[in-house]
Amino acid sequence: MKRDQKLQLKILRKIEDSESAYVLFTQFSENVGGYEDETAPDWSAEEAYNIRLLLRDGLLASSKVTDAPSLGLATDDVFAETYVTLTSHGHDFLEAPNWWQRAYRNVAGNFATLIAAVLLAVITQYVLEGLDLD
């Protein structure tokens, strides 16, 4: 599978827009016979892969909820769920301006300098034409 930055942005937006701070990522179950099953019920395989990359990169954090005993062997089937949430870094990533916004801010912040440069170029061209150096 490949890293898909557009998909990652879509995933981050989906988590940010959810009603709960934590969104279900995976469900895990293990029966007494040793059979294990892990699924990502609301995510495709590609989305799950990219969520794992976001977790590794620190844009998401995970929290596991389980009914497994803390000590000893489980007598019943073990069930666990993993939830993901945005980290501060994830929120900052979503709020970071894209390159169009950065370009606009750059032009707006340097507007006087740009006007002066254009006027200087026009005046210089006018003076050079007036000197008629032929």
Side-chain angles (χ1 to χ4, degrees):
M1 288 195 194
K2 295 175 76 176
R3 173 184 217 131
D4 186 344
Q5 291 182 337
K6 287 183 181 179
L7 180 61
Q8 288 181 346
L9 185 60
K10 183 180 171 184
I11 291 167
L12 291 172
R13 293 265 184 237
K14 181 178 179 179
I15 294 171
E16 181 184 46
D17 293 340
S18 70
E19 293 179 13
S20 173
Y22 285 87
V23 176
L24 178 64
F25 175 44
T26 61
Q27 292 178 328
F28 173 82
S29 61
E30 178 183 4
N31 65 16
V32 177
Y35 174 75
E36 295 179 356
D37 182 38
E38 184 175 10
T39 60
D42 298 330
W43 307 98
S44 68
E46 188 176 356
E47 288 173 327
Y49 174 77
N50 279 279
I51 288 172
R52 288 182 180 94
L53 292 176
L54 291 167
L55 285 164
R56 186 196 67 197
D57 294 342
L59 297 171
L60 294 176
S62 65
S63 179
K64 191 172 191 175
V65 178
T66 182
D67 64 356
S70 57
L71 297 173
L73 298 173
T75 56
D76 296 326
D77 295 347
V78 176
F79 182 78
E81 293 179 328
T82 304
Y83 292 85
V84 292
T85 188
L86 286 173
T87 62
S88 292
H89 187 61
H91 283 288
D92 293 343
F93 179 81
L94 288 175
E95 293 170 0
N98 62 31
W99 72 274
W100 280 108
Q101 291 169 328
R102 286 193 305 269
Y104 173 77
R105 288 183 186 151
N106 189 18
V107 169
N110 295 309
F111 188 72
T113 305
L114 290 172
I115 294 297
V118 169
L119 286 175
L120 183 61
V122 169
I123 292 170
T124 302
Q125 183 64 31
Y126 179 74
V127 169
L128 290 176
E129 286 179 2
L131 289 178
D132 195 29
L133 296 174
D134 291 337

